[in-house]
Amino acid sequence: MIKGVICDVDGTIVDSNDQHANAWQEAFREFGIILPWDKIRAQIGKGPDQLIPEFLTPEQISRFGDQVEKKKDRIYKKKYLDQIKGLPGVYPFFKKLHEEKKTIVLATSGGANEIRYYTRLLGVEKWVRDIVSADDVARSKPYPDIFHIVLDRFQLKPSEAIVIGDTPYDVFAAKKLGLATLALLTGGFSDQSLREAGASEVYRDLSELLERYADSRLGSG
């Protein structure tokens, strides 16, 4: 039986992946690193510790990697945060999980402060038991460290929990711990890429997952 639902945030419950890519592109540019937007966009879902090495050399990371990350955070909060909207079906889906007595934990490669802002924006903070973010681990997705904390904290076996995410990096991280992933297309990644990563099921968004709840691994597990 599924007791815990480990839910990603960016691209899963809020429509923010493009804005994160914009902020990264602008931050890199301020340090003289000109990158195609689509190359950055393909890395969204990873935390800064995993994304930055895709584009900077070890020497550049040593010199100004931390500064790029801080610049990106400032740009995102100042320019994009108040533009972020919730994705379809979040409130009724979380309400359903609460009614089903599932433990809801948000597990994200983003920062905890942003996530608290989003839960208030969406009105679901009363149902979220905990938030585990990149602030809590040394390695973000696609490493499984964030999910490992959730399992330990709530004493869940991998068979008792399920991950909901929108990127292959969610799926990769979950698979390393034996967790199944219900993937959503709301993050901009293709059905094929999510299934090839190992997603158990793929849905358009949380509204569709809620409609098909009884037939999903959530309803049957």
Side-chain angles (χ1 to χ4, degrees), residues 9 16 31-32 40 47 50-51 57-59 67 78 81 85 96 103-104 129 137 141 147 165 168 170 177 203:
V9 177
S16 55
F31 291 85
I40 300 172
Q50 302 301 313
L51 184 148
T57 67
E59 191 273 336
Q67 295 175 62
K78 181 177 180 180
L81 186 61
K85 307 295 183 185
K96 173 68 171 179
T103 297
I104 305 170
R129 288 283 303 279
V137 295
K141 302 170 191 172
F147 296 152
D170 297 310
L177 296 180
Y203 297 91

Side-chain angles (χ1 to χ4, degrees), residues 44-60:
I44 298 301
K46 295 181 178 180
D49 63 302
Q50 302 301 313
L51 184 148
I52 289 174
E54 295 287 338
F55 304 111
L56 299 184
T57 67
E59 191 273 336
Q60 288 173 321

Side-chain angles (χ1 to χ4, degrees), residues 30-210:
E30 294 215 12
F31 291 85
I33 309 297
I34 310 303
L35 298 170
W37 185 84
D38 62 324
K39 297 293 186 184
I40 300 172
R41 182 62 176 79
Q43 299 297 320
I44 298 301
K46 295 181 178 180
D49 63 302
Q50 302 301 313
L51 184 148
I52 289 174
E54 295 287 338
F55 304 111
L56 299 184
T57 67
E59 191 273 336
Q60 288 173 321
I61 292 172
S62 177
R63 283 199 294 120
F64 55 81
D66 287 346
Q67 295 175 62
V68 173
E69 180 181 348
K70 290 175 183 176
K71 173 61 72 172
K72 182 265 177 182
D73 287 344
R74 287 195 293 270
I75 291 170
Y76 183 79
K77 289 171 184 174
K78 181 177 180 180
K79 191 172 180 179
Y80 297 108
L81 186 61
D82 63 359
Q83 300 178 14
I84 305 304
K85 307 295 183 185
L87 285 162
V90 177
Y91 188 91
F93 180 73
F94 275 48
K95 183 179 180 183
K96 173 68 171 179
L97 294 178
H98 176 72
E99 291 169 350
E100 293 281 311
K101 295 181 169 49
K102 311 290 190 192
T103 297
I104 305 170
V105 181
L106 300 182
T108 173
S109 292
N113 288 335
E114 288 174 17
I115 310 314
R116 293 187 187 95
Y117 170 80
Y118 295 145
T119 59
R120 292 193 297 271
L121 176 71
L122 297 167
V124 298
E125 69 274 18
K126 57 185 173 291
W127 296 320
V128 174
R129 288 283 303 279
D130 204 356
I131 296 170
V132 181
S133 73
D135 301 337
D136 299 308
V137 295
R139 304 178 304 176
S140 65
K141 302 170 191 172
Y143 287 95
D145 304 29
I146 290 172
F147 296 152
H148 196 273
I149 287 178
V150 177
L151 295 180
D152 282 353
R153 193 169 289 175
F154 290 92
Q155 298 183 323
L156 294 167
K157 299 174 183 177
S159 60
E160 295 174 330
I162 204 157
V163 170
I164 299 177
D166 66 293
T167 76
Y169 313 119
D170 297 310
V171 184
F172 293 146
K175 278 181 65 178
K176 289 170 184 173
L177 296 180
L179 286 159
T181 303
L182 307 186
L184 308 179
L185 297 174
T186 44
F189 291 85
S190 69
D191 183 296
Q192 180 179 352
S193 68
L194 295 167
R195 291 188 187 277
E196 287 179 352
S200 298
E201 300 167 11
V202 178
Y203 297 91
R204 181 187 67 247
D205 52 26
L206 287 178
S207 291
E208 184 184 17
L209 176 51
L210 182 58

Side-chain angles (χ1 to χ4, degrees), residues 5-26:
V5 176
I6 307 171
C7 191
D8 177 59
V9 177
D10 292 295
T12 299
I13 64 173
V14 291
D15 189 8
S16 55
N17 284 356
D18 285 357
Q19 290 88 341
H20 278 294
N22 292 342
W24 276 117
Q25 186 180 47
E26 293 171 36

